[in-house]
Amino acid sequence: MDDLVSTAWLAERLGEPRLVVIDASAHLPDAQRDARAEFESGHIPGARFLDLDSFKDFASRVPAALPTAEQFAQRMAELGIRSGDRVVIYDDSAVKTSARAWFIFRLHGFPEVAILDGGLGKWRSEGRRLESGSPAAGEGAVQPLRGTGTVRSQAEMLANLDSGAEQVLDARGPGRFTGEEPEIRPGMPSGHIPGSRNLPFREVLNDDGTFKDEAGIRAAFASAGIDLDRPVVTTCGSGVTAAVLLFAMHLLGKEDVALYDGSWSEWGADPATPKATGLAA
């Protein structure tokens, strides 16, 4: 199974043994959308609802932290996912939350996981069948392993300010990056981590929400001033859209990448961290 699958590919395989479809939709508060209610109203047949909003380590000091291995195993058990299953993840979110879920699965060593290109929007636009309700799933069992994802802490990001070992790439919109627009989190300053570059995550996507081809993705990173021969760590507001850029680089075969999970929700909230505004240097 490829890392990115088409709606046609999935439609031909729905119902196959050990193929699990996951709805990883989640929305920003100002969207005023209820992901679970929308799932129950209409989803890809047989899909299971991940509830990404609660798939976090609430004990961590990092806002919206990635789930621990134990939390991952528990959620897989609840969803009826077993080792050896193939998982296809989709979303219907403006911030493309399926990439965050993909990163979590890979972080905990789940090997067969893919993103549905274009998500529910493309599936629906093609007139493909939906079902309603909340399907029951049997009990699953997954043994988390050390995966391939790399996560950076605030301390490591601070050290990188001096070393410059990793290029820092911010997936937020340009207004929030430059500080010309207010942050969506009340009371938090806007701006960016000093020295970082800006590539709004939508720049690696086509108008229909599918990922651009290799040439288009490479051009997007080049336009942001990123050298793909050097390591990259991505950031955003809370570690969600940063994962979209990680997935785009994965499609290029680039793996010397990392996610700053705390992102601006941690960095911006800390009065001790340096902050920059304006365009990247």
Side-chain angles (χ1 to χ4, degrees), residues 192-208:
H192 58 268
I193 298 171
S196 58
R197 300 279 182 168
N198 183 217
L199 178 58
F201 73 95
R202 291 184 179 87
E203 296 299 313
V204 300
L205 302 171
N206 296 308
D207 291 341
D208 64 356

Side-chain angles (χ1 to χ4, degrees), residues 46-199:
R48 305 168 196 179
F49 184 64
L50 182 62
D51 193 10
L52 191 66
D53 273 337
S54 70
F55 202 21
K56 304 169 184 175
D57 181 10
F58 290 98
S60 172
R61 62 176 291 274
V62 175
L66 292 159
T68 65
E70 292 75 17
Q71 291 164 341
F72 177 79
Q74 178 60 36
R75 185 61 54 90
M76 296 305 100
E78 294 167 357
L79 292 171
I81 295 174
R82 296 169 289 165
S83 296
D85 285 348
R86 295 174 296 158
V87 172
V88 176
I89 303 172
Y90 74 86
D91 69 71
D92 190 31
S93 170
V95 288
K96 300 300 175 185
T97 47
S98 54
R100 171 80 171 187
W102 168 86
F103 183 85
I104 292 171
F105 273 76
R106 297 227 327 150
L107 181 68
H108 293 300
F110 197 94
E112 290 280 348
V113 57
I115 288 178
L116 179 65
D117 204 14
L120 186 63
K122 191 170 191 297
W123 182 275
R124 188 187 288 119
S125 73
E126 294 167 344
R128 300 190 187 275
R129 186 168 64 91
L130 298 174
E131 70 177 12
S132 59
S134 185
E139 185 174 352
V142 169
Q143 178 61 49
L145 303 170
R146 184 185 179 93
T148 56
T150 302
V151 182
R152 294 285 179 253
S153 66
Q154 185 187 80
E156 289 170 320
M157 297 300 290
L158 284 165
N160 191 65
L161 292 177
D162 295 324
S163 71
E166 294 178 314
Q167 302 168 95
V168 180
L169 186 58
D170 195 315
R172 293 175 299 158
R176 291 169 64 195
F177 179 85
T178 62
E180 294 172 331
E181 294 179 5
E183 261 299 313
I184 60 174
R185 294 165 180 81
M188 184 175 292
S190 54
H192 58 268
I193 298 171
S196 58
R197 300 279 182 168
N198 183 217
L199 178 58

